[in-house]
Amino acid sequence: AKAAGKDRQELFDPRLRHEQAERIRIVERLRAALDAGEFAVHYQPIVALRSGASVGFEALVRWTPPGQPPVGPDKFIPAAEDSGLIVALGEWVLRQACAEAAPWHRRHGTTIAVNVSPRQLAEPYFADQVRQALTDSGLPANALTIEITEGVLVRSGAHTELVLTHLSELRADGVRVAIDDFGTGYSSLAYLRDLPIDILKIDKSFMPVDPADAQQAALVRAVVDLARSLGLTTVAEGVETAHHAELLRTLGCDRGQGWLFGRPGPPAAASIRLSAESTV
Ligand code: C2E
Ligand code: CA
Ligand code: CA
Ligand code: CA
C-alpha cells in the first residue's frame, strides 16, 4: 500500500513522472540492445610491473547503438543496476569474456577479470552461472578474477549471507576475487576484514598528480604495504605516466593497469598484443 501511495504521488508530480518515464525508456533501449547484439567487450591489459608482460586483461563493456558512437559504461551501468537488467547484461559479459579469453589463456597463460555488480552477487544462481560460463568456455577457474566494489555488502542489503557464500564457493573452485576501486568507499578497512579476497585494486585517484609530492606517494605506499601484509596481490589502476610505473615498482606493487600500458580495445587488439609479446 505504501508503494502504491508513492507511485500515485509520483504520477501527480510532472517532473518525477518525466524522470521515471526517461528511466523506463533507457532500460527498454538497453534490453533491446542486448537482444540486438549491440554490446561488446573491450579488454585492457594488466601488466606485471617487474617484467612488463601482460599477465591478464580486464573486461570492460561497451555499447554501440547502430549509427552512433560507442557509449561508455558510466552512462548505462547505473540504469542497468537500478532496473535489474544488470543481471542479464552482466551474465552476457561474463560468458563473452570467458569465451574470448579462453584461447589467450591456453596460449599465453593470461587471466581475465570481469566486473560483477552487487545485484548479480545477490542472485541465488550467481555461482552456478559462473561455473557454467567456465565449463562452456573451457577457461579454468584459476584464470578468472571477479572484481567487486566496496559497496557490495551495503548494496546487497538482506542478501549479505548469500554474497559471502557465493564468494567463498567460487574461491574454493579457484576463482580469484578482487576488490575494485579500493580506498574510495567509506569503510575500506572493514571490507578487507569482512570480504574473502585475493587481489586489491588501488583506485586510480591515488596515482600522484605531482611526481614530487611526497605525501601522495606516501599514501600509495601505505596502501601497497597494507595489502602486502595481508598477503594480497596489488594492482594499481590509472597508471598513466612512466613516473607512476616507476613509483609503483619501487613500492613493490605487483601489477599496473592504465593508459601507459594500453587502453581498452577490441579482442583482436588483445590477441595481437599477446602475439607480439611472445615473439620478443
Ligand atoms: P572500473 O572497473 O574501475 O574500470 C576501470 C576504468 O578506468 C575503465 O573505464 C577504464 O577505461 C578506465 N581507465 C583505464 N586506464 C585508465 C587510465 O590510465 N586513466 C584513467 N583516467 N582511466 C583509465 P570504463 O571502461 O569507462 O568503465 C567504467 C566503469 O564501468 C568501470 O570502472 C566499471 O565500474 C564499470 N563497468 C565496466 N564494464 C562493466 C561490466 O561489464 N559490468 C559492471 N557491473 N560494471 C562495468
Ligand atoms: Ca573494475
Ligand atoms: Ca576500478
Ligand atoms: Ca570505477
Side-chain angles (χ1 to χ4, degrees):
K2 210 170 182 182
K6 187 170 168 269
D7 284 347
R8 203 167 304 127
Q9 206 177 7
E10 288 189 358
L11 214 57
F12 290 115
D13 181 332
R15 194 181 48 83
L16 277 179
R17 208 176 138 188
H18 175 79
E19 266 177 26
Q20 205 171 20
E22 180 73 5
R23 243 193 353 244
I24 290 168
R25 212 179 52 84
I26 293 170
V27 170
E28 275 165 1
R29 265 186 86 196
L30 288 174
R31 199 181 305 274
L34 190 56
D35 290 339
E38 292 169 12
F39 288 100
V41 180
H42 280 197
Y43 298 90
Q44 185 176 33
I46 298 172
V47 167
L49 288 165
R50 259 171 207 280
S51 67
S54 303
V55 292
F57 293 88
E58 178 174 2
L60 296 157
V61 69
R62 297 287 180 266
W63 176 28
T64 309
Q68 282 173 251
V71 183
D74 288 336
K75 295 277 191 310
F76 59 86
I77 291 285
E81 272 173 350
D82 285 350
S83 62
L85 187 67
I86 193 68
V87 174
L89 178 60
E91 189 183 8
W92 180 82
V93 172
L94 172 74
R95 296 185 58 85
Q96 184 76 4
C98 288
E100 290 181 324
W104 306 336
H105 173 74
R106 266 198 307 278
R107 288 188 217 117
H108 306 279
T110 50
T111 58
I112 183 73
V114 177
N115 293 285
V116 171
S117 98
R119 283 286 278 264
Q120 287 176 272
L121 276 164
E123 282 290 298
Y125 298 110
F126 178 72
D128 292 332
Q129 284 174 357
V130 174
R131 292 188 182 114
Q132 195 63 50
L134 292 171
T135 306
D136 292 349
S137 64
L139 186 78
N142 64 11
L144 175 68
T145 298
I146 59 171
E147 297 196 358
I148 63 174
T149 51
E150 294 174 304
V152 73
L153 291 183
V154 175
R155 283 184 281 158
S156 60
H159 302 284
T160 299
E161 280 304 312
L162 191 56
V163 168
L164 292 174
T165 305
H166 285 321
L167 294 179
S168 305
E169 280 182 21
L170 290 171
R171 282 181 90 220
D173 290 351
V175 173
R176 305 303 205 297
V177 177
I179 191 151
D180 206 353
D181 302 342
F182 183 80
T184 57
Y186 288 104
S187 51
S188 301
L189 296 181
Y191 283 98
L192 285 187
R193 183 194 59 204
D194 297 340
L195 283 171
I197 56 170
D198 307 281
I199 297 166
L200 186 151
K201 296 190 80 172
I202 305 168
D203 190 70
K204 51 178 170 273
S205 61
F206 287 96
M207 284 308 106
V209 180
D210 175 2
D213 190 324
Q215 281 197 313
Q216 288 179 8
L219 202 52
V220 180
R221 178 195 302 275
V223 177
V224 172
D225 286 350
L226 173 66
R228 282 161 58 98
S229 70
L230 292 170
L232 303 173
T233 298
T234 45
V235 183
E237 303 188 300
V239 182
E240 294 181 354
T241 65
H243 171 261
H244 288 163
E246 190 47 47
L247 172 70
L248 292 163
R249 260 182 225 113
T250 309
L251 299 181
C253 181
D254 301 302
R255 299 174 189 167
Q257 180 182 352
W259 297 340
L260 177 71
F261 304 120
R263 303 222 174 202
S271 292
I272 290 167
R273 181 186 182 96
L274 289 172
S275 302
E277 283 184 18
S278 67
T279 55
V280 290

